[in-house]
Amino acid sequence: MQILAGKHLVLGLSGGIACYKSAELVRLLAKAGASVQVVMTEAAEQFITPVTMQALSGRAVYGSQWDAREANNMAHINLSREADAVLIAPCSADFLARLAQGRCDELLSLLCLARPIERVPLLLAPAMNREMWAHPATQRNLAQVARDGAAVLGVGCGEQACGETGDGRMLEPAEIMEELAAFFTPKLLAGEQVLITAGPTFEAIDPVRGITNLSSGKMGFAIARAARQAGAEVTLVSGPVHLPTPRGVRRIPVDSARKMLETVTSQAQKASIFIATAAVADWRPASSAEHKIKKDGSGQVPTLAFVENPDILASVAASARAQSGQLYCVGFAAESENLLEHAAAKRARKGVPLLVGNIGPDTFGQDDNALLLVDAGGHRELPRASKIELARQLVADIAARLRHTRGA
Ligand code: C5P
């Protein structure tokens, strides 16, 4: 969440049970290096105390437009001028209605109206009962505030405090953090359709056994997340890994290399960028037994014959779409030595403009990594950093290459 470091947010709480989640949100924002000024409506103070929010944010909470602490008595002006964004979480149905009408008879709606609209964005995390959410008046108000320039972060679906189940829950604090990070990320890949492979493949020997590898999928998932934050529509074709799907990313789970190839081939028809991070098994058992191969007690072990798997990256790179420049292909190489030499050779063999090399044992399962970007003209190192940070740098690098290739 480096992108939020140094940002100053006004966090507005309106009345709703979801106020308890905002306490956690303040902690996450502080951890990400952002400073937070909490402003609460009278209704919000029924759900959580200003004392809690002050302790977590390290700043006295504001609740009244008549607050005498401000020398000029203009809290609505002062608070909104110094913010990088105003986030209302939770945004109640009533507060939404106030925003839609431009009402300003209490501090929070007053500062929303008084903020410099071009410079200080307004983000809303609505929270309400599902009937209130679905009501035409609420939907009308949402459309109105969006037209007026607010970014509506959406709602979660599930059990509600009232006992009903449906849409209208406030997003979880971690989801709001992800949306904030995406909001502040430059949209370098706006309009791009990015297709990514990640994780290992699983090649069945019989219904209960198979051959796989130690790829965790972390690098591919980080790239999917960074690409989505940069404004791309992202499809992630993933082998079996235990990682949550990044918010806003379409995930297609696959197991074998052949299934991955089939899925990637059809998805590549509409993609503009293909990034192959998957650790695809080089070989698979020549045949997969229909039933579990049994130990018969004789001490004899089964003999496995192997055949080579299709090369997904090479096959996509050779497609008409890639050859005509409509699809930009990026490969990865996990090596254990002579990284530059192997990566350069692999780039030529796969027929891709950019190949990203890394040292296998240094990356598998780790949260950080170091990358070597190899193209026709030379190479560039991305020094050791977290995988999400490297993913952001790689996304920026690919965006620059695309601009150059397209002559923009
Ligand atoms: O040949 P090698 O496995 O080292 O190549 C690595 C690169 O090629 C990675 O980008 C990987 O995702 C891709 N690959 C593939 N299909 C294979 C083997 C590798 O797409 N069968």
Side-chain angles (χ1 to χ4, degrees), residues 197-216:
T197 64
T201 60
F202 180 87
E203 312 295 334
I205 294 172
D206 66 20
V208 297
R209 303 185 183 93
I211 291 171
T212 186
N213 60 63
L214 288 176
S215 167
S216 63

Side-chain angles (χ1 to χ4, degrees), residues 15 82-83 131 158 175 192 196 199 212 238 241 251 263 266 272 285 300 306 332 352:
E82 63 192 23
E131 299 292 359
E175 293 174 315
E192 303 295 338
I196 300 169
T212 186
S238 173
V241 294
R251 176 181 187 166
T263 308
S266 80
S272 55
Q300 280 233 317
F306 290 92
F332 265 71
V352 294

Side-chain angles (χ1 to χ4, degrees), residues 197 276-282 309-313 331-333 346 349-350:
T197 64
T277 69
V280 183
D282 291 318
N309 263 330
D311 191 314
I312 301 166
L313 175 60
F332 265 71
K346 197 160 287 180
R349 203 165 62 243
K350 305 268 180 182

Side-chain angles (χ1 to χ4, degrees), residues 139-192:
Q139 291 302 317
R140 194 170 60 233
N141 289 338
L142 281 167
Q144 182 61 54
V145 296
R147 265 198 302 278
D148 292 345
V152 181
L153 302 186
V155 290
C157 177
E159 249 179 62
Q160 304 197 315
C162 52
E164 297 179 3
T165 303
D167 285 339
R169 284 170 57 106
M170 188 169 89
L171 295 180
E172 295 305 316
E175 293 174 315
I176 294 178
M177 291 294 287
E178 184 63 27
E179 291 296 314
L180 278 176
F183 185 82
F184 283 112
T185 302
K187 297 292 170 273
L188 295 175
L189 293 184
E192 303 295 338

